[in-house]
Amino acid sequence: MIQQRVAAWQSLDWHEELAAAVRDPHELAALLDLSLSDLGISDSANAQFPLRVPRPYIARMARGDPRDPLLRQVLPAHAELIAAPGYGEDPLEERAANPIPGLIHKYFGRVLLILSPACAIHCRYCFRRHFDYAANTPGRARWQAALDYIRRDASISEVIYSGGDPLAAGDPLLAWLTEQLAAIPHLMRLRVHTRLPVVIPARINAECLAWLTGTRLQTSLVLHVNHANELDSTVATAVGLLRGSGVTVLNQSVLLAGVNDCADRLTQLSERLFAAGILPYYLHLLDRVQGAAHFAVEPARALSLHRVMRARLPGYLVPRLVEEVPALPYKRPVN
Ligand code: SF4
């Protein structure tokens, strides 16, 4: 049954969808029945972190609405150029936890591997928008240093594929690395942090499912969805393939002003996630990355929104409200 569903899905080529992502503001405006002045794109912000948005994601935006919550997440805005106190290029101080190129070791028992510098979509609030990917994307030969690091530390039980978007890396590399990791006896789990199955659902194809499920490691996939409108039947199909293959699927969102800072929207997001087979995991306060301050929601307001969610939803649909504090070895609950 799963094989039949994967075969039907194969007619869509994720590489083509990735290459066809919209980078031209004029084209984006035309696709949304808007004028360029409606969008209000800042050329300088676009030069610093270029517009990139895949067409399946654009298809879920409302036509004629410059305030659409999905559009807002990808539009280079003038506000990004305004310096804000307390906001910097490395808000989580990851440089201090980067002992080997491509590997970040910040939390006990877990390491993160930067599999790809690329993303299918450029989210304006991304905490890694200034990350030094050039120094952190080793070729296959140089992954040996990261593998040796993991082999030497028996306290590490979980590896997290990150990026950029790790699924922007090709399946041959992902399959090879997963095989290498599975041969390390103290590793138990593999987690993949990705937005690709949301913005290009065809990314979940037979090759991807093969390495994700053909390993002794317990696998989970943490998606990144901020608004219920990001979920449609194509995303649900991709999630169904993952779950049907035994992969646990979770979601983390970022609380973003003008996108989801509303109790109704957050409640609907949790309900829509669960309907698509995804469990809400984290709701993050914005990381203080330079260029994203206009998305910030005050902690007190975040807490009051979260209280409404708790009152409206069963406990398993209420994500943990957390913030990253650079010096702490865990995400700090906001309460
Ligand atoms: S997909 Fe993730 S890593 Fe890539 S720009 Fe968006 S938030 Fe950042």
Side-chain angles (χ1 to χ4, degrees), residues 270 279-281 306 309-320:
S270 275
L279 271 177
Y281 176 32
H306 196 246
M309 291 180 84
R310 281 210 299 245
R312 288 185 184 175
L313 291 165
Y316 62 92
L317 293 189
V318 181
R320 280 164 244 174

Side-chain angles (χ1 to χ4, degrees), residues 49 73 116-129 133 162-166 193-196 199 224 226 254:
F49 188 40
Q73 294 179 53
S116 166
C119 288
I121 186 167
H122 285 177
C123 313
R124 309 312 300 179
Y125 51 84
C126 178
F127 73 91
R128 291 213 182 106
R129 55 180 287 171
Y133 285 113
S162 185
D165 196 310
H193 282 189
T194 175
R195 192 148 159 75
L196 245 157
V199 300
H224 174 183
N226 298 314
V254 183

Side-chain angles (χ1 to χ4, degrees), residues 215-233:
T215 173
R216 70 162 185 87
L217 300 170
Q218 248 189 316
T219 49
S220 62
L221 204 124
V222 182
L223 296 174
H224 174 183
V225 181
N226 298 314
H227 192 284
N229 292 358
E230 292 175 52
L231 297 163
D232 67 2
S233 60

Side-chain angles (χ1 to χ4, degrees), residues 266-280:
L266 290 169
T267 304
Q268 192 188 24
L269 172 59
S270 275
E271 286 177 333
R272 199 81 72 80
L273 284 167
F274 191 64
I278 309 162
L279 271 177

